[in-house]
Amino acid sequence: MKERTVIEKIKSLKKEKDFLILAHNYQRLEIQEAADMVGDSFELCKTAHSSQQSNIAICGVSFMAETAAVLNPEKNIFSPEKNAHCTMAEMLKEEDVLQIKEKHPSAAVMCYINSTLELKSVSDVVCTSSNAVKLAKRLGKKEIIFVPDKNLGNYVAGILKDFDIITASAFCYVHHEIYPEDIKKTRNDCPQALVLCHPECQEQVTSICDFVGSTSAMLNYVSESSEREFIVCTEEGHLDRLRTLHPDKKFIAPLFPRLCYGMKKNTLESLIETLENPGNPLSIPAQLAEKARRPILRMMELSA
Ligand code: 13P
Ligand code: SF4
Protein backbone atom coordinates (compact mmCIF):
# COMPACT_ATOMS: atom_id res chain seq x y z
CA MET A 1 0.00 0.00 0.00
CA LYS A 2 1.24 3.52 -0.76
CA GLU A 3 2.18 5.67 2.26
CA ARG A 4 -0.66 8.16 1.63
CA THR A 5 -3.22 5.34 1.43
CA VAL A 6 -1.94 3.88 4.73
CA ILE A 7 -2.22 7.29 6.43
CA GLU A 8 -5.79 7.71 5.15
CA LYS A 9 -6.66 4.20 6.33
CA ILE A 10 -5.22 4.95 9.80
CA LYS A 11 -7.29 8.14 9.97
CA SER A 12 -10.52 6.33 9.17
CA LEU A 13 -9.73 3.35 11.47
CA LYS A 14 -9.01 5.60 14.44
CA LYS A 15 -12.49 7.17 14.16
CA GLU A 16 -14.20 3.83 13.67
CA LYS A 17 -12.42 2.26 16.68
CA ASP A 18 -12.47 5.30 18.99
CA PHE A 19 -8.69 5.64 19.07
CA LEU A 20 -6.61 8.70 19.90
CA ILE A 21 -3.12 8.64 18.36
CA LEU A 22 -0.40 10.55 20.17
CA ALA A 23 3.11 10.92 18.74
CA HIS A 24 6.30 12.30 20.22
CA ASN A 25 8.15 15.08 18.36
CA TYR A 26 10.90 12.57 17.38
CA GLN A 27 8.57 10.28 15.47
CA ARG A 28 8.87 9.73 11.73
CA LEU A 29 7.06 12.43 9.72
CA GLU A 30 4.47 9.98 8.35
CA ILE A 31 3.52 8.96 11.92
CA GLN A 32 3.28 12.62 12.94
CA GLU A 33 0.93 13.12 10.01
CA ALA A 34 -1.33 10.25 11.05
CA ALA A 35 -1.41 11.37 14.70
CA ASP A 36 -4.07 13.50 16.41
CA MET A 37 -1.45 15.30 18.43
CA VAL A 38 2.35 15.58 18.33
CA GLY A 39 4.24 16.92 21.33
CA ASP A 40 6.85 16.62 24.06
CA SER A 41 6.59 14.14 26.93
CA PHE A 42 4.55 16.41 29.17
CA GLU A 43 2.11 17.37 26.41
CA LEU A 44 1.57 13.68 25.61
CA CYS A 45 0.90 13.01 29.29
CA LYS A 46 -1.60 15.87 29.61
CA THR A 47 -3.39 15.02 26.38
CA ALA A 48 -3.75 11.34 27.31
CA HIS A 49 -5.13 12.40 30.71
CA SER A 50 -7.74 14.81 29.34
CA SER A 51 -8.80 12.80 26.27
CA GLN A 52 -12.34 11.54 25.68
CA GLN A 53 -11.37 8.45 23.68
CA SER A 54 -11.24 5.12 25.46
CA ASN A 55 -8.33 3.80 23.38
CA ILE A 56 -4.99 5.60 23.05
CA ALA A 57 -2.04 4.56 20.86
CA ILE A 58 1.19 6.21 21.96
CA CYS A 59 3.92 6.40 19.31
CA GLY A 60 7.05 7.04 21.31
CA VAL A 61 9.01 4.88 23.74
CA SER A 62 7.75 2.54 26.46
CA PHE A 63 7.97 4.94 29.43
CA MET A 64 5.47 7.24 27.67
CA ALA A 65 2.86 4.49 27.29
CA GLU A 66 3.53 3.17 30.82
CA THR A 67 3.06 6.63 32.36
CA ALA A 68 -0.20 7.10 30.44
CA ALA A 69 -1.43 3.66 31.55
CA VAL A 70 -0.72 4.42 35.22
CA LEU A 71 -2.35 7.84 35.00
CA ASN A 72 -5.43 6.60 33.12
CA PRO A 73 -6.36 3.16 34.46
CA GLU A 74 -9.84 3.47 32.92
CA LYS A 75 -8.43 3.89 29.38
CA ASN A 76 -6.84 1.31 27.10
CA ILE A 77 -3.26 2.29 26.27
CA PHE A 78 -1.43 0.68 23.36
CA SER A 79 2.19 0.87 22.19
CA PRO A 80 2.37 0.15 18.44
CA GLU A 81 5.90 -1.14 18.91
CA LYS A 82 6.48 -3.23 22.05
CA ASN A 83 10.28 -3.00 21.83
CA ALA A 84 10.59 0.76 21.54
CA HIS A 85 12.56 1.59 24.68
CA CYS A 86 14.48 4.58 26.02
CA THR A 87 17.97 3.29 26.88
CA MET A 88 18.39 5.89 29.63
CA ALA A 89 15.21 4.70 31.38
CA GLU A 90 16.80 1.28 31.88
CA MET A 91 20.14 2.59 33.20
CA LEU A 92 19.23 3.18 36.84
CA LYS A 93 17.58 0.66 39.18
CA GLU A 94 15.50 1.39 42.25
CA GLU A 95 18.29 -0.09 44.48
CA ASP A 96 20.60 2.65 43.14
CA VAL A 97 18.10 5.32 44.25
CA LEU A 98 17.61 3.68 47.64
CA GLN A 99 21.40 3.74 48.14
CA ILE A 100 21.58 7.47 47.34
CA LYS A 101 18.60 8.05 49.65
CA GLU A 102 20.45 6.36 52.52
CA LYS A 103 23.18 9.00 52.24
CA HIS A 104 20.67 11.87 51.94
CA PRO A 105 17.70 10.79 54.09
CA SER A 106 15.98 14.18 54.15
CA ALA A 107 16.24 14.89 50.41
CA ALA A 108 13.24 14.71 48.07
CA VAL A 109 13.57 12.40 45.05
CA MET A 110 12.71 13.93 41.68
CA CYS A 111 12.45 11.40 38.88
CA TYR A 112 12.66 12.31 35.21
CA ILE A 113 9.76 10.75 33.29
CA ASN A 114 12.35 8.90 31.13
CA SER A 115 12.54 6.13 33.73
CA THR A 116 10.99 2.80 34.67
CA LEU A 117 7.84 2.63 36.79
CA GLU A 118 9.95 0.95 39.49
CA LEU A 119 12.16 4.05 39.68
CA LYS A 120 9.13 6.34 39.73
CA SER A 121 7.61 4.28 42.55
CA VAL A 122 10.50 5.15 44.93
CA SER A 123 10.35 8.86 44.03
CA ASP A 124 8.47 11.85 45.43
CA VAL A 125 7.69 13.56 42.16
CA VAL A 126 8.05 12.89 38.44
CA CYS A 127 9.12 15.65 36.05
CA THR A 128 9.75 16.19 32.36
CA SER A 129 12.34 18.37 30.65
CA SER A 130 9.71 21.11 30.26
CA ASN A 131 8.82 21.40 33.94
CA ALA A 132 11.85 20.12 35.95
CA VAL A 133 12.99 23.59 37.10
CA LYS A 134 9.46 24.76 37.94
CA LEU A 135 8.67 21.60 39.94
CA ALA A 136 11.97 21.69 41.84
CA LYS A 137 11.08 25.24 42.97
CA ARG A 138 7.59 24.14 44.01
CA LEU A 139 8.60 20.96 45.81
CA GLY A 140 9.30 22.70 49.11
CA LYS A 141 12.74 21.06 49.60
CA LYS A 142 16.10 22.49 48.62
CA GLU A 143 17.91 19.15 48.85
CA ILE A 144 16.83 17.09 45.84
CA ILE A 145 18.06 13.74 44.53
CA PHE A 146 17.58 13.96 40.77
CA VAL A 147 17.34 10.63 38.87
CA PRO A 148 18.14 9.12 36.42
CA ASP A 149 19.55 11.74 33.98
CA LYS A 150 22.73 13.36 35.32
CA ASN A 151 22.72 15.96 32.53
CA LEU A 152 19.18 17.20 33.15
CA GLY A 153 19.97 17.12 36.89
CA ASN A 154 23.08 19.26 36.31
CA TYR A 155 21.05 21.64 34.14
CA VAL A 156 18.49 22.12 36.95
CA ALA A 157 21.36 22.59 39.46
CA GLY A 158 22.93 25.21 37.19
CA ILE A 159 19.73 27.28 37.29
CA LEU A 160 18.78 26.72 40.92
CA LYS A 161 22.17 27.66 42.38
CA ASP A 162 20.97 27.82 45.98
CA PHE A 163 19.59 24.24 45.81
CA ASP A 164 21.54 21.10 46.64
CA ILE A 165 20.86 18.83 43.65
CA ILE A 166 22.36 15.35 43.96
CA THR A 167 22.59 13.68 40.56
CA ALA A 168 22.78 10.02 39.53
CA SER A 169 24.78 8.42 36.72
CA ALA A 170 22.43 7.82 33.77
CA PHE A 171 22.46 9.72 30.49
CA CYS A 172 20.94 9.68 27.01
CA TYR A 173 23.44 8.55 24.35
CA VAL A 174 21.64 10.66 21.72
CA HIS A 175 22.33 13.92 23.57
CA HIS A 176 25.36 13.03 25.70
CA GLU A 177 27.43 12.46 22.56
CA ILE A 178 26.97 15.94 21.14
CA TYR A 179 30.20 17.83 21.83
CA PRO A 180 31.12 21.54 21.87
CA GLU A 181 33.63 20.92 19.03
CA ASP A 182 30.79 19.58 16.80
CA ILE A 183 28.81 22.74 17.43
CA LYS A 184 31.80 25.01 16.84
CA LYS A 185 32.52 23.29 13.50
CA THR A 186 28.86 23.51 12.46
CA ARG A 187 28.83 27.17 13.48
CA ASN A 188 31.78 27.88 11.15
CA ASP A 189 29.55 27.15 8.14
CA CYS A 190 26.60 29.20 9.38
CA PRO A 191 27.91 31.75 11.89
CA GLN A 192 24.59 33.60 12.08
CA ALA A 193 22.58 30.55 13.19
CA LEU A 194 21.22 30.37 16.74
CA VAL A 195 22.03 27.16 18.61
CA LEU A 196 19.23 25.28 20.38
CA CYS A 197 19.74 22.22 22.55
CA HIS A 198 17.87 19.79 24.77
CA PRO A 199 18.74 19.82 28.50
CA GLU A 200 19.78 16.14 28.17
CA CYS A 201 22.99 17.50 26.59
CA GLN A 202 26.10 17.86 28.74
CA GLU A 203 26.76 21.11 30.61
CA GLN A 204 29.68 21.92 28.27
CA VAL A 205 27.07 22.05 25.47
CA THR A 206 24.10 23.67 27.25
CA SER A 207 26.43 26.45 28.43
CA ILE A 208 27.34 27.50 24.86
CA CYS A 209 23.82 27.35 23.37
CA ASP A 210 21.44 30.27 22.77
CA PHE A 211 18.42 28.32 24.02
CA VAL A 212 17.97 25.18 26.13
CA GLY A 213 14.56 23.52 26.39
CA SER A 214 12.26 20.56 25.82
CA THR A 215 11.44 19.59 22.24
CA SER A 216 8.22 21.64 22.28
CA ALA A 217 9.93 24.56 24.03
CA MET A 218 12.42 24.63 21.12
CA LEU A 219 9.50 24.68 18.71
CA ASN A 220 7.88 27.62 20.52
CA TYR A 221 11.22 29.43 20.60
CA VAL A 222 11.62 29.05 16.81
CA SER A 223 8.00 30.18 16.21
CA GLU A 224 8.58 33.35 18.22
CA SER A 225 12.04 34.12 16.86
CA SER A 226 12.57 36.46 13.92
CA GLU A 227 15.85 34.61 13.16
CA ARG A 228 15.90 32.23 10.19
CA GLU A 229 18.72 29.73 10.87
CA PHE A 230 19.04 27.32 13.76
CA ILE A 231 21.51 24.59 14.70
CA VAL A 232 19.33 22.09 16.57
CA CYS A 233 21.08 19.76 19.02
CA THR A 234 18.63 16.95 19.56
CA GLU A 235 17.25 13.85 17.80
CA GLU A 236 16.94 14.34 14.05
CA GLY A 237 13.20 13.60 13.93
CA HIS A 238 12.69 16.94 15.64
CA LEU A 239 14.49 18.73 12.82
CA ASP A 240 12.00 17.16 10.38
CA ARG A 241 9.16 18.45 12.53
CA LEU A 242 10.65 21.94 12.67
CA ARG A 243 11.19 21.94 8.88
CA THR A 244 7.55 20.92 8.30
CA LEU A 245 6.18 23.61 10.59
CA HIS A 246 8.60 26.32 9.43
CA PRO A 247 9.43 25.71 5.76
CA ASP A 248 10.74 29.28 5.50
CA LYS A 249 13.49 28.68 8.11
CA LYS A 250 16.66 26.60 7.99
CA PHE A 251 17.41 23.86 10.54
CA ILE A 252 20.89 22.41 10.71
CA ALA A 253 21.94 19.30 12.64
CA PRO A 254 25.20 19.37 14.63
CA LEU A 255 28.20 17.80 12.86
CA PHE A 256 27.03 14.22 13.50
CA PRO A 257 23.20 14.00 13.32
CA ARG A 258 21.70 12.07 16.23
CA LEU A 259 19.21 9.22 16.03
CA CYS A 260 17.17 7.55 18.80
CA TYR A 261 16.77 3.91 17.76
CA GLY A 262 13.95 3.31 20.25
CA MET A 263 11.84 6.16 18.91
CA LYS A 264 12.44 5.09 15.32
CA LYS A 265 11.12 1.55 15.90
CA ASN A 266 7.52 2.76 15.41
CA THR A 267 6.36 2.57 11.81
CA LEU A 268 3.09 3.17 9.94
CA GLU A 269 2.84 -0.62 9.62
CA SER A 270 3.04 -1.18 13.40
CA LEU A 271 0.51 1.63 13.94
CA ILE A 272 -2.04 0.26 11.46
CA GLU A 273 -1.60 -3.23 12.91
CA THR A 274 -2.42 -1.83 16.39
CA LEU A 275 -5.61 -0.23 15.09
CA GLU A 276 -6.70 -3.30 13.13
CA ASN A 277 -5.84 -5.86 15.80
CA PRO A 278 -5.39 -3.99 19.08
CA GLY A 279 -5.09 -7.13 21.25
CA ASN A 280 -4.64 -6.54 24.97
CA PRO A 281 -3.89 -3.02 26.19
CA LEU A 282 -0.83 -2.34 28.31
CA SER A 283 -1.29 -3.92 31.72
CA ILE A 284 0.66 -2.72 34.76
CA PRO A 285 0.72 -4.81 37.98
CA ALA A 286 -1.72 -3.12 40.40
CA GLN A 287 0.76 -2.59 43.26
CA LEU A 288 3.40 -1.05 40.99
CA ALA A 289 0.79 1.17 39.30
CA GLU A 290 -0.45 2.42 42.67
CA LYS A 291 3.07 3.29 43.88
CA ALA A 292 4.07 4.99 40.60
CA ARG A 293 0.79 6.94 40.30
CA ARG A 294 1.49 9.11 43.38
CA PRO A 295 4.62 10.91 42.03
CA ILE A 296 3.06 11.22 38.55
CA LEU A 297 -0.07 12.83 40.02
CA ARG A 298 2.16 15.11 42.08
CA MET A 299 3.75 16.32 38.84
CA MET A 300 0.30 17.04 37.40
CA GLU A 301 -0.73 18.95 40.55
CA LEU A 302 2.51 20.94 40.93
CA SER A 303 2.70 21.92 37.27
CA ALA A 304 -0.89 23.21 37.15
P1 13P B 1 10.86 16.02 25.58
O1 13P B 1 9.95 15.83 26.74
O2 13P B 1 11.62 17.30 25.60
O3 13P B 1 10.14 15.85 24.28
O4 13P B 1 12.02 14.93 25.66
C1 13P B 1 11.80 13.57 25.55
C2 13P B 1 13.01 12.85 25.24
O5 13P B 1 13.06 11.67 25.30
C3 13P B 1 14.17 13.63 24.87
O6 13P B 1 15.18 12.78 24.51
FE1 SF4 C 1 15.62 8.09 25.68
FE2 SF4 C 1 17.49 9.59 24.59
FE3 SF4 C 1 15.79 8.31 23.04
FE4 SF4 C 1 14.98 10.41 24.48
S1 SF4 C 1 16.44 10.42 22.80
S2 SF4 C 1 13.92 8.46 24.27
S3 SF4 C 1 16.21 10.13 26.32
S4 SF4 C 1 17.30 7.38 24.42
Side-chain angles (χ1 to χ4, degrees):
M1 238 192 289
K2 279 207 178 116
E3 189 174 289
R4 175 106 328 264
T5 320
V6 180
I7 294 174
E8 289 314 316
K9 181 133 196 249
I10 289 175
K11 286 187 176 172
S12 92
L13 270 173
K14 73 183 178 189
K15 274 195 207 127
E16 188 190 310
K17 302 215 172 179
D18 193 32
F19 256 92
L20 178 76
I21 303 177
L22 304 181
H24 185 261
N25 284 320
Y26 293 161
Q27 291 298 294
R28 298 166 193 276
L29 272 185
E30 61 274 20
I31 291 189
Q32 295 186 15
E33 204 185 325
D36 295 288
M37 183 261 172
V38 184
D40 68 11
S41 310
F42 189 52
E43 290 169 332
L44 298 182
C45 220
K46 277 193 301 186
T47 311
H49 201 38
S50 62
S51 79
Q52 302 302 315
Q53 287 91 336
S54 50
N55 303 309
I56 307 178
I58 302 200
C59 304
V61 283
S62 46
F63 74 78
M64 295 173 173
E66 288 162 4
T67 308
V70 165
L71 199 53
N72 306 288
E74 73 295 351
K75 294 175 190 160
N76 302 318
I77 308 294
F78 297 90
S79 288
E81 187 48 68
K82 307 281 171 294
N83 293 317
H85 299 302
C86 166
T87 53
M88 173 162 65
E90 315 288 331
M91 273 183 186
L92 208 72
K93 303 277 167 252
E94 61 189 293
E95 306 84 75
D96 302 322
V97 179
L98 296 176
Q99 266 181 20
I100 309 175
K101 255 177 147 176
E102 258 173 42
K103 289 190 199 143
H104 305 273
S106 54
V109 180
M110 180 177 256
C111 183
Y112 189 27
I113 196 166
N114 297 39
S115 54
T116 59
L117 288 178
E118 284 77 7
L119 211 66
K120 290 179 177 76
S121 71
V122 292
S123 304
D124 296 298
V125 66
V126 167
C127 71
T128 71
S129 61
S130 71
N131 59 25
V133 173
K134 177 160 100 179
L135 297 196
K137 282 194 211 158
R138 293 182 176 179
L139 206 47
K141 288 247 182 157
K142 291 219 160 173
E143 192 186 19
I144 297 176
I145 300 168
F146 192 99
V147 294
D149 186 9
K150 62 178 176 183
N151 291 327
L152 182 58
N154 287 337
Y155 173 72
V156 174
I159 293 182
L160 303 178
K161 297 224 188 303
D162 58 332
F163 279 56
D164 183 9
I165 309 276
I166 302 122
T167 53
S169 57
F171 60 88
C172 157
Y173 70 97
V174 176
H175 294 90
H176 193 76
E177 291 167 21
I178 299 175
Y179 300 102
E181 301 72 46
D182 306 346
I183 298 175
K184 281 176 198 148
K185 283 188 188 138
T186 315
R187 250 180 178 156
N188 283 343
D189 294 333
C190 39
Q192 68 284 16
L194 292 181
V195 186
L196 320 181
C197 82
H198 196 276
E200 287 174 13
C201 291
Q202 298 189 64
E203 206 261 332
Q204 49 175 339
V205 166
T206 57
S207 61
I208 58 163
C209 287
D210 298 294
F211 178 76
V212 185
S214 79
T215 51
S216 290
M218 284 185 213
L219 220 155
N220 295 338
Y221 182 84
V222 166
S223 305
E224 282 163 22
S225 171
S226 56
E227 297 298 323
R228 307 188 63 79
E229 290 189 14
F230 303 88
I231 298 169
V232 187
C233 302
T234 190
E235 211 272 342
E236 62 178 36
H238 198 41
L239 279 88
D240 290 336
R241 176 143 179 81
L242 288 161
R243 287 180 189 122
T244 307
L245 294 176
H246 295 281
D248 54 324
K249 297 190 177 188
K250 190 172 171 191
F251 301 98
I252 306 137
L255 196 60
F256 303 104
R258 309 299 303 153
L259 196 71
C260 173
Y261 295 104
M263 286 280 182
K264 289 297 181 287
K265 287 212 165 126
N266 299 291
T267 59
L268 277 185
E269 288 67 35
S270 51
L271 181 54
I272 202 165
E273 171 64 22
T274 301
L275 297 178
E276 281 176 336
N277 303 302
N280 293 328
L282 193 59
S283 157
I284 311 287
Q287 246 191 339
L288 178 61
E290 203 181 306
K291 283 191 197 162
R293 191 171 299 121
R294 190 185 35 85
I296 299 170
L297 282 175
R298 188 122 189 247
M299 165 176 77
M300 303 306 275
E301 284 156 23
L302 287 178
S303 50

